[in-house]
Amino acid sequence: MAPSPRSAADRNSAPVVARAPRSRFRDWIRTSADFARSPEGHQALSGFLGAIMITFGGFGAGATRVHDPLMEALHLSWMRFGHGYALSTIVIWIGMLLMIVSWVRLGRATIGTADRPGAGVTLNELRAVVGLWSFPLLFAVPMFSRDVYSYLAQGALLRDGFDPYVVGPVANPGVLLDNVSLVWTNTTAPYGPIFLLLGRAVTSITGDSVIAGTIAMRLVMVPGLALMMWAVPYLTKHLGGKPTVALWLAVLNPLVLIHLFGGVHNEMLMVGLMCAAVALVLERHHVAGVVVLSIGVAIKATAGVALPFLVWIWMLHEREKRAAKRAGSDPENLPQNERPHDAAERTEDMPHPAMMFAKIGGLGLGVFAAVFATASVIAGVGIGWLTALSGSKKIIQWLSLPTLVRDVIAWVTPLNPDKLLDPIRALCMLVLAAVLVWTWWRFRHSEREAVLGIVIAFVGIVILSPAALPWYYSWPLALAAGFALSTTTLMVLVGLCTWLMLIFNPDGNHGLYNVWHVAVATFVALVAALSLRTVDPLHLRSTPAAAIDPTTTTTPEMAISTSATVLGVEDSAPVAHNPYADPLA
């Protein structure tokens, strides 16, 4: 009889003893086999099967090339038309559902709402599952977006002597241009110089090969995924969350793996660099953190939203350093009553906070400018990407609040919707500016507040900007996962992520104006959310499983929400205080 699989607690409690490499390898094989035989291992394999199905179905129904000689040579072009296309689409959606189901079931084991005692997943096991699910997608066609074709075309522009900030891909005809979405052919690049350099490097190596270029561009995104696997769990050290829950929510999430990695979006790099920068600053490596964040901004400008909040953290650390010097102790072991409670407050240790802000802010901006200027000089481009940021206005769908308001007004009034959109967008941008300034000033009292401020700022950008796409929600999610979140909040996030995953079609088009598509996506999202707490929310089992009450499997503090703590009522509380507090509840 085969030995029963060990629980996550057993796998974590194994003694660490220095052994020969062969012995360590045998231990690794044994531990891996234990996990593979466990119910959690079965879910990991189920999600892996889903990723394979998405990859295979994508050859017919993904964001495929306009002309695909390879599929014709392999006699597989039938997958792109008629019944073949319908079959490919079905295979993709089944693969999506498999990954969602596996993710939710792994989530139950991770947060402690599984239907059996001893269930759990370790951090290293979750990291291994991320790699397992990502590997098949490395060879998939672009999924749910055609953006990678624009990346390649913009890289080819720089390679061939054009300035992507001055001309669009249409200036450089060829195979790469043929696959760019028509709406972007005349649009100049809205990305930073480092990303253009990466695009030039990829197209210099792969030439005009769309297949090789797509795979190479995905490999470029791998460091972003690796940084997220390190930084997101590490943030919980300062934000009070649980590392395994953070990794499960923000990295193993199919929205991230399928849309960011499978869709080959440069947000994969940007978010990874941003999370790493925040982690470095929290660890008091301020200059290094600003350098890493500057690199992220040189990928995509959105990462720059975090910089003003990191200045608050830097100032708080400077206050702690001065208070510790006065008290003769280490800054990290400073008594609670000596810790600063307001980065902008005038105190004995910092009588001129405005001057200190100017000094630290100026140093941060100087580092940022140096990194950005160096990248721009190497790329041979200017700052034309600033004007290209307005290109997102070409995206019109109600996932962004301005378009939703326009659609509602046009639905209930006889007003012309085409004339409403620009004024509404302008108004929302004014509101967004006010929200960003208010958030930056309001969340200055502690490290946790500052990071929460970044989360809120990103949410505001996603909602109020002229255009919003599903993978944009990965920006705030990556940092929010570091906080201790209640089961209810996790359920809401699971439902939202599932809905965002399903509302777009595999070829990059959306179903936001298809009532049946929205209804089905909403139903699946609700089931996924309920399944995080209840094993069988639809009561499909012959013996229905009772809903799991988290208060019976965890400490009573898990039901306590401490929004007031994060909003400044109890800023003096250490990170270890009330580890189950949910700042988003």
Side-chain angles (χ1 to χ4, degrees):
M1 179 180 296
S4 60
R6 295 183 295 170
S7 68
D10 296 332
R11 296 191 292 271
N12 275 327
S13 62
V16 179
V17 181
R19 299 182 180 181
R22 182 177 299 178
S23 176
R24 289 199 297 268
F25 179 73
R26 284 200 298 265
D27 288 346
W28 178 81
I29 291 293
R30 186 179 300 111
T31 302
S32 300
D34 286 343
F35 177 69
R37 291 195 298 269
S38 69
E40 291 73 36
H42 296 163
Q43 297 309 317
L45 294 176
S46 177
F48 177 61
L49 175 61
I52 293 175
M53 295 181 71
I54 292 171
T55 299
F56 183 75
F59 292 127
T64 56
R65 292 184 290 170
V66 175
H67 303 291
D68 200 331
L70 180 61
M71 293 289 285
E72 295 174 2
L74 295 175
H75 304 289
L76 294 175
S77 56
W78 58 271
M79 294 176 62
R80 300 180 56 191
F81 307 101
H83 296 301
Y85 177 82
L87 179 61
S88 298
T89 303
I90 292 171
V91 170
I92 290 175
W93 287 122
I94 293 175
M96 289 274 290
L97 292 176
L98 276 176
M99 289 190 73
I100 292 170
V101 169
S102 301
W103 176 57
V104 172
R105 289 180 174 176
L106 284 172
R108 284 207 300 262
T110 303
I111 68 176
T113 58
D115 55 347
R116 73 181 215 284
V121 191
T122 68
L123 192 60
N124 285 334
E125 288 167 350
L126 285 172
R127 285 174 173 148
V129 177
V130 170
L132 185 68
W133 290 9
S134 302
F135 182 73
L137 298 174
L138 182 64
F139 306 101
V141 304
M143 299 302 304
F144 296 90
S145 172
R146 304 184 67 86
D147 282 2
V148 68
Y149 299 135
S150 296
Y151 299 163
L152 294 173
Q154 290 160 3
L157 283 173
L158 192 61
R159 177 197 66 187
D160 296 338
F162 297 93
D163 186 343
Y165 296 154
V166 176
V167 298
V170 71
N172 194 19
V175 176
L176 297 179
L177 174 64
D178 294 342
N179 294 281
V180 177
S181 296
L182 291 177
V183 70
W184 304 125
T185 54
N186 285 297
T187 304
T188 55
Y191 310 116
I194 289 182
F195 189 69
L196 291 182
L197 287 172
L198 292 173
R200 183 177 72 179
V202 167
T203 53
S204 297
I205 295 171
T206 62
D208 289 342
S209 172
V210 179
I211 296 176
T214 299
I215 295 176
M217 194 61 76
R218 269 212 189 90
L219 291 174
V220 167
M221 306 302 168
V222 169
L225 183 62
L227 285 172
M228 288 185 70
M229 284 196 286
W230 166 74
V232 169
Y234 195 85
L235 289 172
T236 61
K237 172 184 175 183
H238 296 271
L239 304 180
K242 185 178 179 182
T244 50
V245 174
L247 185 65
W248 164 79
L249 177 63
V251 186
L252 189 62
N253 194 324
L255 177 65
V256 173
L257 296 183
I258 297 173
H259 277 273
L260 274 189
F261 190 68
V264 203
H265 290 290
N266 56 10
E267 280 92 345
M268 184 94 263
L269 274 177
M270 185 203 78
V271 173
L273 289 165
M274 179 193 64
C275 290
V278 174
L280 287 170
V281 171
L282 289 173
E283 283 294 306
R284 302 171 189 271
H285 303 296
H286 306 112
V287 175
V290 173
V291 169
V292 172
L293 184 65
S294 300
I295 296 173
V297 177
I299 298 293
K300 188 163 184 175
T302 317
V305 173
L307 183 59
F309 295 91
L310 297 186
V311 173
W312 286 143
I313 297 175
W314 195 340
M315 288 185 67
L316 288 166
H317 290 169
E318 182 63 26
R319 285 181 177 276
E320 290 177 0
K321 180 180 176 181
R322 295 184 178 192
K325 184 178 180 180
R326 174 172 48 82
S329 63
D330 184 82
E332 296 187 6
N333 297 323
L334 198 64
Q336 194 60 45
N337 60 349
E338 293 285 343
R339 292 187 177 275
H341 307 301
D342 187 342
E345 182 183 11
R346 185 191 300 270
T347 63
E348 175 186 354
D349 297 312
M350 192 177 290
H352 304 290
M355 293 181 60
M356 180 56 64
F357 176 82
K359 178 181 177 181
I360 292 177
L363 180 58
L365 285 176
V367 172
F368 169 79
V371 172
F372 216 90
T374 301
S376 298
V377 169
I378 295 174
V381 296
I383 57 173
W385 57 275
L386 287 172
T387 57
L389 293 175
S390 61
S392 62
K393 292 182 178 180
K394 296 180 180 180
I395 302 174
I396 301 176
Q397 36 85 349
W398 62 262
L399 207 56
S400 69
L401 183 62
T403 306
L404 177 61
V405 172
R406 189 279 307 261
D407 290 346
V408 172
I409 293 176
W411 183 42
V412 299
T413 70
L415 297 177
N416 186 344
D418 295 332
K419 295 181 178 180
L420 289 172
L421 189 57
D422 287 340
I424 293 174
R425 281 178 167 177
L427 178 61
C428 286
M429 292 305 292
L430 290 175
V431 173
L432 175 59
V435 168
L436 292 178
V437 172
W438 175 85
T439 303
W440 171 74
W441 180 251
R442 176 64 183 82
F443 294 94
R444 68 184 190 276
H445 300 93
S446 67
E447 292 178 342
R448 297 172 72 186
E449 266 205 13
V451 177
L452 182 60
I454 300 174
V455 173
I456 295 173
F458 274 130
V459 171
I461 291 173
V462 172
I463 293 175
L464 294 170
S465 291
L469 294 165
W471 50 91
Y472 287 6
Y473 286 83
S474 66
W475 309 344
L477 182 66
L479 295 178
F483 292 93
L485 306 176
S486 68
T487 303
T488 301
T489 300
L490 290 172
M491 290 171 63
V492 172
L493 293 175
V494 165
L496 176 62
C497 291
T498 300
W499 187 85
L500 290 169
M501 273 185 282
L502 299 177
I503 203 61
F504 266 55
N505 291 312
D507 61 0
N509 295 313
H510 63 77
L512 288 166
Y513 292 95
N514 184 317
V515 175
W516 291 108
H517 192 146
V518 173
V520 172
T522 303
F523 172 75
V524 175
L526 287 173
V527 172
L530 293 173
S531 296
L532 191 64
R533 192 202 303 263
T534 306
V535 175
D536 184 24
L538 298 180
H539 304 290
L540 299 178
R541 293 183 175 183
S542 56
T543 304
I548 304 296
D549 181 1
T551 60
T552 64
T553 58
T554 59
T555 59
E557 290 87 342
M558 193 164 192
I560 300 176
S561 169
T562 58
S563 300
T565 300
V566 179
L567 294 177
V569 177
E570 296 178 356
D571 288 313
S572 61
V575 171
H577 173 68
N578 192 11
Y580 296 101
D582 181 0
L584 304 180

